[in-house]
Amino acid sequence: MSLLDASATQLLQQLAAAEITAVEVTQAYLDQITRHDATVRSFLSVPADEALAQAAAVDARRGRGERLGPLAGLPVAVKDNLCTTGWATSCGSRMLENFRSPYDATVIARLKAADAVLIGKTNLDEFAMGGSTENSAFFPTTNPWDASRTPGGSSGGSAACVAASMAPLSIGSDTGGSIRQPAGFCGVTGLKPTYGRVSRYGLVAFASSLDQVGPLARTAEDAALLLQTIAGHDPLDSTSAPVDLPDYVGTVREPLAGLRLGLVREHFGPGLDDEVEQAVRQAIREFESLGATVTEISLPHSQYAIATYYVIAPSEASSNLARYDGVHYGYRTDETEMLAELAAEKKQLQAAGDQAGLDDLDTPLMRLYRRSRSEAFGSEVKRRIMLGAYALSAGYKDAYYVKALKVRRLIRGDYDAAFQDVDLIVGPTAPTAAFGLGDMVDDPLAMYLQDLYTVSANLAGIAGMSIPCGMTAGGLPIGLHLQAPPFAEDRLLRAGHMFQQATDWHTRRPELTTASPSGTSQKQLP
Amino acid sequence: MTNTAYETIIGLEVHVQLQTETKLFCRCSTSFGAAPNTQTCPVCIGLPGSLPVMNRHAYALGLKTAVALNCTIPEFTKWDRKQYFYPDLPKGYQISQFDLPMSEHGWLEISDPKGEFATKKVGITRAHLEDDAGKSMHDERAGKSDSRIDLNRTGTPLLEIVSDPDLRSPAEARAFLSELKLLLTYLGVSDCNMQEGSLRVDANINLHIPLDDRTAATPIVEIKNMNSFRAVERALQYEANRQFDAWQSNPVELGKPGGHKTTRGWDDQAQITRIQRQKEESSDYRYFPDPDLLPVTTTAAEVAAVRGQLGALPAALRVTLIEKYKIDEYDAHVLVNQGQPLVDYFEALAAACGDGKRASNWVQQDVLRLLNETETTIEQFPVSAAALGELLKAIVAGEVDNTRAKDVLQEMLDTNASAADAMAQLGIEKVDSSDLESLCRELLDANPAVVADLKQGKMKAVGALIGQAKKKNPNVNPGQIKSLCIELVQQLPS
């Protein structure tokens, strides 16, 4: 088996047995990036030399018989909204194109402490806002299964790089489905942990009450490996839950006896693609053949989930993104141009004798804010800032934000009731398989419906996972969505492993077109 | 101070920096005066991805203050984001408390020993915690338009204390601030240094003007930029007069066209307020609960524990001193307003000499004068209460008179001597009664005119003898000389 085909778990075993070196593994993945990322474009930066140096250091320490971390020598790709010292942390935005964090996110610090090799920062929708990675300010990522289609988003780069064997493991973030939907579109395993399970410290905030960092991998077993390292209480994050961390790696191979699956009635309604539905139903039959029982359940408030999400997430985003004002760091408009513009406007108003216009004219500071933010944010980010600012404004807050919080509690209540009777909830990850690049860029509402089945887990704060469960006739992966009660990630992982022991969807690999060897098209961030 | 033409309505907003080692949501130092932007970290300067973690000590100081202000402490409180753009606010929002503050509905009693106003309880609307902004320094020299930002202060814990509009005069407002500052000092929650910005005051003021059939209210003005309690008092007095003049020339009422709230700044040099901002309506801060922080819960038992550990607070302490040491209200104010350490000294002194009134007089007239002269605090005062108590006992015992005792205290200060040693060093010793009698006889013999006056009942004449006695022996007690001379004259055959 080639290094690129092996699972992370297998690679770790071979590394531990000194059958292969970290440098060999890292080099193999870097070579794969060089071969294919010109087409896939999953990475915003690939600091190859540093990655190789990290790998060499791990090999040297192993050679000296030193104690190594649990991911020693294993390459991991990281979504570019996690603060990483030494490299740019751009969030896929012009605003932070040149931003370098002076500190590591807790997840990054834990990966480093585990001796993982950080192989690159992956592309994403700007500030993680989107479902196709087309909102990246730099370039869209393509789906490794079909370069004319999106990998999903916002963790599109993290999903695509694992699907394309450019990294055995990657880190994404999920605010409304941003790990699970791209995992489904790319045919990999992606897990959104329970809110509070993984530290958000150093994750650049989109919607703080919904954001959660999680693993993407080829298998549930590999996802367990990565989750084990990144999860656990962090005193730097007040919302990180002070609960014990189970032994995911040790238990993932144990099948779940008497598994009770709940099938959400509302998730098999209008909008669900036939092929997706068939694959999901087939997967459920597979679980039944493994001894699971299936009951139909109802999440009556799930019909309000998208509306609720698109009030709460933008509200928080409008606040979280206020700090990008062009004053302290990040993008700042051309000040000379700005002052000239103001002077010209002033002159014009004076000539017209327009006193009201003069009174309303921006101060230089106000114009600095206005221009910096107008120039550096993309349209989806601006749309959400405006939605959120509106939903929180006096006179509208009760009708939108406060009401959305109430519905959110009802959605959580639905889950609490459902989990009285079932162990896991099962359904489709997304209504369709990967859609075409550009298909939805002019229709943000259609794009928002991509999150139909995934947002409820974020609103309720529960755990969810997407695993590959089929292929469309056109050769695109289909994702199966499993949801578990709070802090039952171990249950998700065991169910995923059970399924993957019985099926081979997770072993399918796309046929990648090889780019000309003239070099990569990696965007070179300064 | 009271103007019968109108009633002055004043409410105050006081921002107090709590005395913590570290900031409200990170571990940066809060000390004042460091080089700009050296006491910062990713959290307090709002870098991407950073998250706040509440400083429990800051919360405890806030709670202690709220309990001392007789506030109700709800079981559940939360943090909200108050959003606005300004360069010294790097997150684009302040973490504050909006609809569920940590405390509300309290009161603080103010009184004036000189009787300028009646004792009253001033309502406390609420007291809540928030993080401070940084400092903007604008270079306004000609041709310059630089602004510099120092974020050292960003994230320092602030307690915002809002009073009800219960104050009826600038003097009451000043008394409220003094009493509040005293309380905060007794609690040890803030250094209350207005120059360093640890205590900042904004005032809201308007007038209620009686008309024939109803009362009219003038538009509310918020006054900012007041850097001392004196400035607050003056600014309010100025503003009351200004509003009344404005009313007389053009009667605009609160809430009517043109009658919206405005903000004015106090110009201490010109001693006037100047318009800063016309507030047509309150700014929309788009408050919402901060999703990065957990709500805080406080149980009734925790509140009771805080209350039990408050110690003696100024108002109660004054009552105690009046009752226990038989001093008057004015004296109790002077002593208590100097702070707990001076009260401790006074109580020790009163206990040592057994005379509260005498102890109070000595502390006020001599100890405070010496502290002033030497610019020291009572903690640094070298004469302990026990040592001074020995001196006061000597006075009570007639071993030294009040006037000479002041010299003794100075000697004790200069030489670190005990009262007895200092008296010895000054040659003060008790005069034997037989010596005293022979001295008096000698004086009477030498002053027949005085004796004649005394025989005629002109008792004041004895004063001439006291001066002569002190010349002959500085240790004699004037009172004893006086009574003995009178006694001897009365024994003489008429």
Side-chain angles (χ1 to χ4, degrees):
Chain A
M1 188 181 288
S2 87
L3 294 177
L4 301 181
D5 291 332
S7 72
T9 307
Q10 290 163 337
L11 288 174
L12 261 191
Q13 287 161 356
Q14 289 177 276
L15 282 163
E19 292 165 15
I20 51 171
T21 66
V23 169
E24 284 166 5
V25 175
T26 303
Q27 190 62 59
Y29 281 94
L30 287 172
D31 290 347
Q32 178 78 347
I33 291 169
T34 306
R35 277 194 295 275
H36 296 297
D37 206 42
T39 311
V40 179
R41 313 195 83 183
S42 48
F43 286 96
L44 286 172
S45 55
V46 181
D49 294 345
E50 283 176 50
L52 286 169
Q54 279 182 53
V58 168
D59 287 336
R61 286 171 55 206
R62 197 188 303 280
R64 290 195 296 271
E66 287 180 31
R67 196 184 165 85
L68 294 170
L71 299 180
L74 210 53
V76 179
V78 178
K79 190 175 181 179
D80 202 27
N81 60 351
L82 281 147
C83 289
T84 313
T85 50
W87 308 348
T89 300
S90 75
C91 295
S93 179
R94 294 276 170 221
M95 185 58 91
L96 294 178
E97 186 171 2
N98 299 314
F99 176 72
R100 278 162 186 268
S101 174
Y103 74 97
D104 278 327
T106 296
V107 164
I108 298 295
R110 289 187 178 180
L111 287 173
K112 287 182 176 175
D115 293 317
V117 173
L118 300 180
I119 197 169
K121 303 285 295 273
T122 60
N123 199 17
L124 67 160
D125 287 300
E126 185 176 6
F127 286 102
M129 298 178 188
S132 68
T133 318
E134 291 165 293
N135 293 333
S136 166
F138 306 118
F139 45 77
T141 298
T142 67
N143 193 309
W145 294 88
D146 178 347
S148 73
R149 292 178 185 269
T150 88
S154 65
S155 308
S158 292
C161 74
V162 172
S165 301
M166 295 188 286
L169 296 171
S170 71
I171 299 283
S173 70
D174 189 315
T175 306
S178 279
I179 288 174
R180 291 161 290 161
Q181 183 251 24
F185 278 15
C186 293
V188 301
T189 299
L191 189 149
K192 181 205 93 76
T194 308
Y195 187 76
R197 177 57 100 186
V198 178
S199 170
R200 291 187 299 116
Y201 191 77
L203 169 68
V204 179
F206 156 21
S208 313
S209 75
L210 301 161
D211 295 341
Q212 194 58 197
V213 181
L216 291 107
R218 290 173 189 148
T219 65
E221 195 179 18
D222 285 0
L225 192 64
L226 190 50
L227 184 63
Q228 194 79 59
T229 290
I230 63 172
H233 179 245
D234 176 12
L236 297 178
D237 175 0
S238 309
T239 64
S240 148
V243 294
D244 288 341
L245 190 63
D247 182 1
Y248 302 123
V249 175
T251 57
V252 67
R253 286 183 203 83
E254 295 170 13
L256 291 158
L259 178 64
R260 298 170 303 162
L261 293 178
L263 189 149
V264 184
R265 190 179 305 138
E266 293 84 356
H267 286 184
F268 292 85
L272 179 61
D273 177 84
D274 282 345
E275 278 186 296
V276 173
E277 178 168 357
Q278 282 166 29
V280 168
R281 290 200 185 276
Q282 179 55 41
I284 292 167
R285 282 194 289 276
E286 187 66 49
F287 269 112
E288 284 179 306
S289 75
L290 294 170
T293 55
V294 179
T295 34
E296 195 170 273
I297 58 160
S298 176
L299 298 174
H301 297 94
S302 62
Q303 58 175 315
Y304 305 114
I306 291 281
T308 304
Y309 176 84
Y310 279 99
V311 171
I312 292 174
S315 292
E316 294 182 9
S318 71
S319 176
N320 285 331
L321 272 64
R323 67 190 63 195
Y324 309 117
D325 58 7
V327 172
H328 296 274
Y329 53 83
Y331 180 87
R332 182 185 287 189
T333 191
D334 184 317
E335 285 169 86
T336 313
E337 226 173 69
M338 174 198 84
L339 291 170
E341 177 186 79
L342 267 183
E345 284 173 35
K346 189 173 175 183
K347 209 168 151 187
Q348 209 171 11
L349 290 164
Q350 281 169 334
D354 183 350
Q355 189 54 47
L358 284 167
D359 290 345
D360 287 345
L361 189 63
D362 283 346
T363 59
L365 175 64
M366 197 54 71
R367 185 58 61 92
L368 177 89
Y369 288 148
R370 209 187 284 282
R371 278 179 57 122
S372 299
R373 289 167 67 82
S374 297
E375 289 163 6
F377 285 142
S379 57
E380 184 59 31
V381 170
K382 286 180 197 167
R383 183 178 296 122
R384 296 198 192 191
I385 289 172
M386 286 188 280
L387 273 174
Y390 182 81
L392 288 175
S393 61
Y396 299 97
K397 190 170 128 182
D398 287 347
Y400 294 105
Y401 180 74
V402 174
K403 180 159 280 182
L405 290 186
K406 290 176 184 165
V407 179
R408 183 177 187 174
R409 277 194 291 277
L410 295 173
I411 288 171
R412 172 63 186 257
D414 284 355
Y415 277 110
D416 289 344
F419 284 124
Q420 296 290 314
D421 303 319
V422 299
D423 302 315
L424 294 172
I425 291 170
V426 64
T429 301
T432 63
F435 51 87
L437 287 162
D439 280 3
M440 295 196 195
V441 286
D442 296 324
D443 192 352
L445 287 179
M447 186 78 92
Y448 294 173
L449 288 174
Q450 277 294 311
D451 303 333
L452 194 58
Y453 310 128
T454 47
V455 283
S456 293
N458 300 79
L459 289 167
I462 64 167
M465 181 171 77
S466 179
I467 53 174
C469 72
M471 303 291 285
T472 65
L476 296 171
I478 295 169
L480 181 74
H481 189 212
L482 296 166
Q483 298 176 82
F487 304 107
E489 288 83 2
D490 50 344
R491 203 182 292 169
L492 285 178
L493 293 164
R494 287 169 68 186
H497 184 72
M498 238 170 107
F499 184 80
Q500 290 174 344
Q501 289 301 101
T503 60
D504 66 356
W505 302 111
H506 62 289
T507 64
R508 309 277 176 104
R509 293 281 172 273
E511 294 223 0
L512 296 167
T513 49
T514 304
S516 61
S518 60
T520 76
S521 69
Q522 241 75 90
K523 193 188 125 45
Q524 292 303 314
L525 289 170
Chain B
M1 202 61 75
T2 321
N3 190 322
T4 48
Y6 57 79
E7 189 177 27
T8 309
I9 311 293
I10 298 169
L12 298 175
E13 278 179 30
V14 184
H15 285 86
V16 182
Q17 275 185 359
L18 296 175
Q19 222 164 3
T20 51
E21 293 288 313
T22 57
K23 295 183 179 181
L24 186 50
F25 297 113
C26 66
R27 294 190 177 172
C28 290
S29 167
T30 53
S31 66
F32 181 82
N37 298 308
T38 55
Q39 289 173 175
T40 59
C41 73
V43 176
C44 58
I45 65 175
L47 287 189
S50 64
L51 295 172
V53 176
M54 186 185 80
N55 177 342
R56 295 212 71 88
H57 183 57
Y59 195 84
L61 293 185
L63 187 61
K64 188 175 175 185
T65 309
V67 170
L69 286 168
N70 308 293
C71 286
T72 304
I73 311 297
E75 278 184 42
F76 176 94
T77 182
K78 67 181 171 69
W79 301 98
D80 299 284
R81 293 185 182 176
K82 178 182 180 178
Q83 314 193 63
Y84 62 95
F85 284 98
Y86 205 69
D88 63 19
L89 189 74
K91 298 190 299 295
Y93 56 84
Q94 180 185 31
I95 303 176
S96 182
Q97 301 195 284
F98 180 50
D99 54 337
L100 296 172
M102 66 174 300
S103 69
E104 50 192 342
H105 312 312
W107 50 265
L108 178 66
E109 188 171 88
I110 58 170
S111 58
D112 181 31
K114 292 186 211 130
E116 268 191 44
F117 54 83
T119 296
K120 71 194 289 184
K121 281 180 180 174
V122 179
I124 303 293
T125 314
R126 57 190 281 159
H128 71 254
L129 285 161
E130 58 191 25
D131 62 355
D132 207 346
K135 261 187 226 167
S136 301
M137 282 152 290
H138 304 291
D139 188 345
E140 285 162 350
R141 282 174 296 175
K144 293 262 187 178
S145 59
D146 278 4
S147 290
R148 287 163 192 277
I149 310 291
D150 178 4
L151 297 179
N152 282 352
R153 198 179 71 179
T154 310
T156 299
L158 287 181
L159 187 69
E160 179 175 334
I161 301 166
V162 182
S163 89
D164 291 340
D166 287 350
L167 299 158
R168 291 291 172 270
S169 69
E172 285 187 14
R174 183 173 181 166
F176 174 83
L177 291 170
S178 301
E179 188 67 11
L180 178 62
K181 180 181 171 180
L182 188 66
L183 179 72
L184 296 169
T185 309
Y186 268 78
L187 292 171
V189 296
S190 174
D191 65 16
C192 296
N193 186 330
M194 279 187 96
Q195 272 61 51
E196 293 180 3
S198 332
L199 192 151
R200 286 167 251 160
V201 182
D202 299 332
N204 284 286
I205 175 171
N206 76 338
L207 310 179
H208 284 183
I209 298 170
L211 304 177
D212 290 341
D213 53 339
R214 63 192 177 91
T215 300
T218 60
I220 295 172
V221 169
E222 180 172 0
I223 316 176
K224 292 181 174 290
N225 276 352
M226 298 169 293
N227 293 321
S228 66
F229 291 172
R230 214 160 95 116
V232 173
E233 191 173 11
R234 289 183 173 180
L236 286 169
Q237 194 56 59
Y238 173 87
E239 189 54 31
N241 294 338
R242 191 196 64 78
Q243 287 187 23
F244 190 63
D245 290 348
W247 171 265
Q248 285 180 315
S249 61
N250 177 24
V252 175
E253 284 187 55
L254 176 66
K256 301 280 167 62
H260 54 270
K261 184 175 172 176
T262 53
T263 302
R264 300 178 71 91
W266 174 244
D267 181 336
D268 206 50
Q269 287 214 307
Q271 297 277 300
I272 57 169
T273 62
R274 294 181 199 275
I275 190 82
Q276 281 190 336
R277 189 158 46 126
Q278 300 271 4
K279 271 191 192 172
E280 273 297 348
E281 49 193 304
S282 65
S283 309
D284 187 355
Y285 292 117
R286 289 179 283 115
Y287 279 103
F288 80 108
D290 192 327
D292 290 333
L293 287 159
L294 302 179
V296 184
T297 53
T298 309
T299 64
E302 285 166 333
V303 174
V306 169
R307 188 170 285 123
Q309 288 161 12
L310 284 179
L313 296 180
L317 198 50
R318 287 189 199 107
V319 174
T320 305
L321 296 191
I322 291 166
E323 287 174 356
K324 192 168 168 189
Y325 301 103
K326 312 294 174 211
I327 61 174
D328 62 29
E329 193 187 336
Y330 180 85
D331 292 336
H333 266 270
V334 173
L335 292 171
V336 170
N337 292 6
Q338 294 293 325
Q340 184 74 57
L342 190 96
V343 171
D344 292 343
Y345 189 94
F346 160 73
E347 292 206 80
L349 183 61
C353 77
D355 182 345
K357 181 70 190 165
R358 188 182 297 274
S360 163
N361 287 344
W362 270 79
V363 168
Q364 288 182 59
Q365 288 161 21
D366 299 285
V367 177
L368 286 180
R369 174 180 54 81
L370 290 164
L371 292 180
N372 252 337
E373 283 171 12
T374 53
E375 291 181 352
T376 48
T377 64
I378 190 67
E379 291 97 325
Q380 298 163 314
F381 191 58
V383 179
S384 70
L388 183 56
E390 289 300 314
L391 178 58
L392 301 202
K393 265 199 267 186
I395 300 171
V396 174
E399 290 162 19
V400 57
D401 67 74
N402 222 43
T403 314
R404 290 217 78 198
K406 290 177 196 296
D407 298 335
V408 177
L409 175 56
Q410 188 63 53
E411 182 71 13
M412 289 165 76
L413 260 181
D414 294 344
T415 64
N416 266 332
S418 67
D421 289 347
M423 283 163 68
Q425 282 161 26
L426 293 176
I428 297 171
E429 52 191 29
K430 189 163 183 181
V431 182
D432 189 74
S433 59
S434 61
D435 290 348
L436 200 63
E437 190 176 330
S438 59
L439 176 64
C440 287
R441 289 188 189 283
E442 197 183 320
L443 290 171
L444 292 171
D445 288 348
N447 293 280
V450 173
V451 174
D453 284 347
L454 288 174
K455 278 186 174 174
Q456 287 170 22
K458 295 177 183 172
M459 295 307 178
K460 277 187 181 169
V462 79
L465 300 183
I466 291 167
Q468 292 180 37
K470 291 214 78 152
K471 267 183 204 156
K472 286 181 186 293
N473 183 347
N475 293 329
V476 294
N477 183 315
Q480 287 178 325
I481 293 288
K482 184 179 167 184
S483 54
L484 189 54
C485 284
I486 291 168
E487 194 187 322
L488 290 171
V489 168
Q490 283 166 349
Q491 286 169 10
L492 289 176
S494 49

